[in-house]
Amino acid sequence: MSLPVGIVYDPIFLEHEAPGHPERPERLAAAVGELDRAGLLARLTPIAARPATREELERAHVAAHVEHVRAVTREIEGVLDEDTYTSAGTWDAATHAAGGTLDLAVAVARGALG
């Protein structure tokens, strides 16, 4: 018996953007568009994106790192390292992705999704 496959997607993810950077909203929109065009998106089980709590974030990252990322993302544009930029939408996009991914992982662990 095959289990349904879940997906975490929310338009808030498109708000993490820096013009000209290879990691940009258009890439995500194109991937979701291709899933839709191929008829696969309708076959996936959507898992709602939600902001991860501070406690959840600190299960994976030390508190100082969480605070550093939060502080940097308060700026209109910033960088965490040479590969990772931040924008005004980064914090919300990242915390929603983390919260949704946690819920997706719980669904898989409980056997509800494959």
Side-chain angles (χ1 to χ4, degrees), residues 11 28 34 50 53-55 81 95 98 104-105 107 113:
L28 176 57
E34 285 302 314
R50 63 156 180 93
T53 65
R54 186 69 172 242
E55 179 182 312
D81 58 41
T95 58
L104 177 64
L113 296 173

Side-chain angles (χ1 to χ4, degrees), residues 19-100:
H21 194 280
E23 179 187 309
R24 58 184 181 271
E26 294 84 4
R27 287 179 67 188
L28 176 57
V32 172
E34 285 302 314
L35 287 172
D36 190 33
R37 277 188 281 289
L40 297 174
L41 191 59
R43 295 172 55 192
L44 301 175
T45 300
I47 303 296
R50 63 156 180 93
T53 65
R54 186 69 172 242
E55 179 182 312
E56 289 170 331
L57 295 171
E58 290 179 6
R59 287 182 190 160
H61 305 287
V62 297
H65 177 70
V66 173
E67 186 50 43
H68 171 70
V69 172
R70 178 69 186 115
V72 170
T73 60
R74 286 187 184 130
E75 301 170 13
I76 294 192
E77 291 180 12
V79 293
L80 295 174
D81 58 41
E82 62 274 359
D83 293 324
T84 311
Y85 70 87
T86 65
S87 67
T90 296
W91 181 258
D92 288 339
T95 58
H96 279 74

